[in-house]
Amino acid sequence: MEKFLDFWDKVVLFMTALWMVYIPIDIYYIGDKFPIISLGFGDNITMTLVHSILGWIFLIVTPWGLIMLGTIFVWHALMPNISQRAKRFRKGA
């Protein structure tokens, strides 16, 4: 489980870095030189920053939170309850 969480943290860090690098490049360079690969934000820089922050939240942070919540829920559901743990302890002792 710890390996998965460590891997997922690296994925989120990479996606965040990619997002935070691509958006400014898209605003100042890609939109003018290569409009076909641009997100098409246009000239409204303030709205672009709002969209980039909202995109970062909804594309990266929210799925990360939902995956962590689901992982913790499944992990908790798979853990033995107290009576099962007591039976194992009595058998082992």
Side-chain angles (χ1 to χ4, degrees):
M1 183 54 112
E2 289 82 12
K3 288 182 181 179
F4 171 74
L5 295 177
D6 184 50
F7 171 74
W8 187 249
D9 284 341
K10 289 177 183 173
V11 168
V12 170
L13 181 64
F14 173 75
M15 294 294 289
T16 302
L18 189 66
W19 186 265
M20 299 307 256
V21 167
Y22 179 80
I23 295 300
I25 290 175
D26 183 27
I27 293 170
Y28 296 110
Y29 181 74
I30 294 177
D32 295 333
K33 299 284 185 182
F34 306 103
I36 197 161
I37 60 171
S38 172
L39 294 177
F41 285 123
D43 296 328
N44 192 345
I45 301 298
T46 306
M47 203 62 178
T48 299
L49 295 175
V50 170
H51 285 169
S52 71
I53 291 169
L54 290 176
W56 181 78
I57 290 170
F58 290 112
L59 293 176
I60 296 173
V61 175
T62 303
W64 179 85
L66 291 175
I67 288 173
M68 292 300 105
L69 186 64
T71 303
I72 290 169
F73 178 77
V74 170
W75 194 9
H76 180 72
L78 293 176
M79 288 177 63
N81 58 24
I82 294 173
S83 63
Q84 291 172 337
R85 292 173 65 196
K87 288 177 188 175
R88 286 187 199 169
F89 181 74
R90 276 191 230 122
K91 286 180 184 177

